[in-house]
Structure formats: structure tokens, C-alpha cells
Amino acid sequence: MGEIEHFCDPAHKEHAKFSSVADLKVLLYSACNQMEGKSPELVTLGEAVKAGLIANETLGYYMGRIYLFMTKMGVDRAKMRFRQHMSNEMAHYASDCWDTECQTSYGWVECVGCADRSCFDLKQHSKATGVRLCAEKKLKEPRVVDVTECQPQKGILGKTFKKEAKVITEHLACLDETLVLDLEHRLKEDGEVKVNVNGKDFILKPDMLLIKRYQKKVHVEEIVPSVIEPSFGIGRVMYAIFEHNFKMRDGDEQRTYLSLPSVIAPYKCSVLPLSSNTEFTPFVKQLSAALTKHDISHKVDDSTGSIGRRYARTDQIAIPFGITIDFDTLKEPHTATLRERDSMKQIRANLDDLPAIVQDLASGKRTWEDVLNNYPLFEQQEASRDK
């Protein structure tokens, strides 16, 4: 699992970066559509938040980031949707929750959950530990507020609990108003109250503490933050990526390849001498050193077999780009071909330029279409392989 815990003001759940994802069109399967037997709808996140379909901007922002992450990692956007939890499956404390589901051979599978868990997590933690988990927000104008707090009677606590009195005093002093009122209620009902401090139970009597009420002027407001929680099922996300990217060449079911995006492909590039000609060796070594200098993970395949078979092998292990050293490389100026896995198209470029080109392609700074528009197309090796 991988999770993000984003804390925000429960009264103001706008997000400064929501505009960056507001125009994204995503497939939303709302609870209403599920109840009425309708299909999911393609809606922009901005429209969904404005209509109240998605509870708030912060939740919508993280749904947008999930969408961008999943598609960048190779999930097919046509096989991905956001399904809203229905009332009978929504956690009682959640104000809204959406699952990112991917369509696989097993059907629609939940891969990521994104929930507005309200203030539940921090309130429960405070209740269990007695530690106040609040944030402070500066007020535009100071205001007078009613305060209810617990004032430990240190003398009586000291006589009763000896050296343990200090931790009990600290525990009581940190209780928020809700916990103080609960403590007061239990004291009135039962004449005593049991508190747990550091895993040990203590029985407190009414004379051991004083519930104090007064007014004070405050310049900051204490709030218990809400939590927006995107939660990723890493294994499921990986399975969806592998299934969505396992493909077959048109007209040849035996030729399979894995079309992983270059940003996550383990090897970014292969280096393939056209044959075992020893004249190619210095150029292979030179190119391999240059790729390493540019931090490009690569694989040199100088094994026997036709260039077509070696292309197919690299395609099967998702290597997105392949550089072929051929007989034209031996001529001045030294050039080589660069092949793209999915389209199988090749261009010819200067040998010294290729590492930088591959680096930009692998990092997403440059597209293959841009490279095709700037370098001459090369077809000889693919044509000879197809024969």
C-alpha cells in the first residue's frame, strides 16, 4: 500500500492547485447512476465539484492527480473510471469516497481509493491518547470564546499516585473540550472515572480535578483538520499496467510486446550492432559509455541472430528505444538509427546526438512525433526484417 494523508481546514476545502486539474475529463460512476442502473459519465472535475458530485476541491484535486499518475504510468484511460461509494458501503465518518477502478480480464478492479475521512482520524487518536491534535488558524479579528478545561488538583493527585501523578497531570492538562466534557459527565454519573495513561489505567475521583469554565479573547482559532486520503494498492496498479500494455503486432499474434511508458521501463534503450562485424565494436563501446554518462539504463545485445529477432526480444521486455550500429555508422559523419518500440519507425541521426535524444525521450521532455519531424525516416532494416 501507498498512502497520502493531506490535512486541511474542515470549513475550507478549496485547493490552490485545483485549477490545474479542473479541465480534466474523467469517467465518473456516481452513486446515483449506480442506483438507477445508468452508465458512467465523462465529466470534467471542475464541473463535478461545482455540481457537488465530488464533495470538495481538495478531493477533486487528488482525483485529478491520481488520473494523471495512472495514465502516465501506462494505464489505458479508456479502461479506467472513478466509482463513488454508495451509502451502504461508505464509512460512517467519510463525507465522500471514490475508487479508481481499472478494467482487466478479472473485470473492474479497485486500484486506488480516495476518501474525505473528515476529522475522524485525529479525533479518535486524541481520544485514545489524550493528546490534542489541533492546528491554529489566525483570525482576522480577535473574538471572545467560552473555554472549558480540566484543571488537575496536583496536591491530591500527588498524595494518591506519588511519582505517577506527573504523567496523569500532563494527560489531563492536554484534554480538549470534548474530552473534558465527557470526563465531567462520567464523574457525575459514576462518581469516578477511569483514564488510561501510557497503557496504564488510573481511577480518578471528583476531588482530583476541577472543570473550569471562563471566557477569553483569542487571536487564533483551533481546528481539528480533516484528512483527504488517497490510498494506492501497488500490486493492483502494477497488474493493471502490465495487462493494459501487453500487446500483439497486427497480423502476427506470435509477436508480442510490452508497451510500458519510457518513464517506467527498466531499460530505456538497447544497443544493437547489425552483425558480429568487429568494426562495429568500438562504436558500440563508445555509444554505451555515452549512454551511461547520460544516466540512461541500456542493454547491449550483440548476440547472434537477425536484427529483426533481436528487435522482437527487446520489445518483449519493454525497451522503448533501440539504437542500431550498421555499416553506414562506419562512414563519416558517424550516424546510427534510432527505433521506437510501439510504431517500429526509425530515424537516422548523428551518433553523438543520440544519447541526448534518448534521454529527452525517456524523461518525457520530448515526444517521438517531434523526433520524427526533425530527423530523416529510415526504413531499410525494418524492411529487410519483414522479408
Side-chain angles (χ1 to χ4, degrees):
M1 294 290 290
E3 295 181 349
I4 296 170
E5 304 290 328
H6 177 96
F7 298 98
C8 59
D9 187 337
H12 300 282
K13 294 183 179 178
E14 301 84 8
H15 197 287
K17 295 183 180 179
F18 179 68
S19 59
S20 66
V21 300
D23 294 330
L24 286 177
K25 275 196 170 184
V26 298
L27 197 62
L28 297 181
Y29 199 13
S30 67
C32 288
N33 281 14
Q34 294 172 65
M35 289 289 291
E36 296 171 8
K38 295 180 180 178
S39 300
E41 296 178 313
L42 201 60
V43 186
T44 68
L45 290 170
E47 292 168 346
V49 170
K50 187 176 181 180
L53 181 58
I54 296 173
N56 54 74
E57 284 190 3
T58 302
L59 184 63
Y61 171 73
Y62 277 102
M63 289 172 66
R65 290 298 301 269
I66 289 168
Y67 176 84
L68 292 173
F69 170 77
M70 297 286 274
T71 52
K72 186 175 182 178
M73 295 302 103
V75 171
D76 186 344
R77 65 191 65 203
K79 295 180 179 180
M80 180 174 66
R81 70 184 184 190
F82 290 92
R83 187 185 69 81
Q84 189 176 35
H85 279 205
M86 298 171 69
S87 57
N88 62 353
E89 59 179 328
M90 185 96 72
H92 67 89
Y93 50 79
S95 60
D96 200 7
C97 184
W98 294 80
D99 288 340
T100 308
E101 297 183 332
C102 295
Q103 189 176 26
T104 70
S105 54
Y106 293 98
W108 286 97
V109 176
E110 175 195 346
C111 293
V112 187
C114 193
D116 182 340
R117 296 174 61 88
S118 66
C119 306
F120 180 79
D121 295 317
L122 294 182
K123 283 184 175 179
Q124 289 300 107
H125 193 76
S126 291
K127 188 176 180 180
T129 64
V131 177
R132 297 172 68 186
L133 296 173
C134 299
E136 290 186 347
K137 183 172 67 172
K138 190 174 181 180
L139 297 171
K140 291 182 179 179
E141 297 289 339
R143 68 184 183 208
V144 176
V145 297
D146 295 321
V147 178
T148 303
E149 65 182 19
C150 180
Q151 193 172 68
Q153 301 301 294
K154 295 181 181 180
I156 299 174
L157 287 171
K159 289 178 181 178
T160 307
F161 299 108
K162 309 299 181 187
K163 62 181 181 181
E164 293 174 314
K166 183 180 178 182
V167 293
I168 298 172
T169 300
E170 291 174 350
H171 174 82
L172 294 173
C174 289
L175 296 179
D176 64 23
E177 184 174 346
T178 304
L179 295 174
V180 170
L181 293 173
D182 178 62
L183 201 67
E184 182 182 41
H185 174 74
R186 285 190 288 158
L187 279 171
K188 286 180 180 179
E189 288 287 318
D190 305 326
E192 63 181 28
V193 65
K194 181 169 69 174
V195 297
N196 185 281
V197 183
N198 297 335
K200 189 174 180 179
D201 291 332
F202 299 93
I203 303 297
L204 302 181
K205 303 292 184 180
D207 61 342
M208 295 180 179
L209 52 95
L210 177 67
I211 305 302
K212 191 176 179 182
R213 289 177 171 84
Y214 60 94
Q215 289 187 324
K216 72 173 181 179
K217 183 182 286 188
V218 295
H219 297 269
V220 295
E221 177 187 12
E222 281 193 350
I223 58 172
V224 180
S226 284
V227 175
I228 308 295
E229 181 190 73
S231 180
F232 294 77
I234 305 299
R236 294 185 181 190
V237 172
M238 288 182 66
Y239 179 83
I241 291 170
F242 285 134
E243 185 167 311
H244 289 186
N245 288 278
F246 181 78
K247 298 177 181 177
M248 294 178 287
R249 298 291 182 195
D250 291 339
D252 189 353
E253 294 184 357
Q254 298 300 312
R255 291 192 61 197
T256 59
Y257 65 104
L258 200 56
S259 61
L260 294 182
S262 58
V263 290
I264 63 169
Y267 288 114
K268 310 300 182 189
C269 181
S270 59
V271 178
L272 309 163
L274 186 63
S275 68
S276 57
N277 192 315
T278 55
E279 291 183 88
F280 295 152
T281 302
F283 295 98
V284 170
K285 290 182 177 180
Q286 174 192 334
L287 181 59
S288 178
L291 290 170
T292 300
K293 190 175 181 179
H294 281 77
D295 294 323
I296 300 168
S297 55
H298 62 282
K299 180 177 177 61
V300 176
D301 186 357
D302 54 4
S303 60
T304 57
S306 68
I307 191 66
R309 286 182 181 275
R310 284 183 284 154
Y311 283 151
R313 283 202 295 262
T314 61
D315 293 347
Q316 287 179 329
I317 59 172
I319 300 179
F321 305 105
I323 299 175
T324 304
I325 304 296
D326 58 16
F327 288 101
D328 286 335
T329 307
L330 305 179
K331 304 173 186 175
E332 294 278 358
H334 303 301
T335 60
T337 66
L338 177 64
R339 174 184 181 272
E340 195 265 341
R341 175 197 60 215
D342 296 350
S343 67
M344 299 191 296
K345 290 182 178 179
Q346 297 187 64
I347 57 99
R348 180 170 285 279
N350 190 291
L351 195 63
D352 293 334
D353 295 341
L354 286 170
I357 295 172
V358 174
Q359 185 180 47
D360 288 345
L361 287 167
S363 64
K365 291 180 181 177
R366 194 172 188 181
T367 65
W368 180 244
E369 288 70 25
D370 177 60
V371 173
L372 287 175
N373 291 332
N374 286 276
Y375 293 91
L377 198 64
F378 181 82
E379 298 179 351
Q380 182 179 346
Q381 284 156 13
E382 287 292 341
S384 63
R385 185 202 64 193
D386 292 339
K387 292 178 183 178

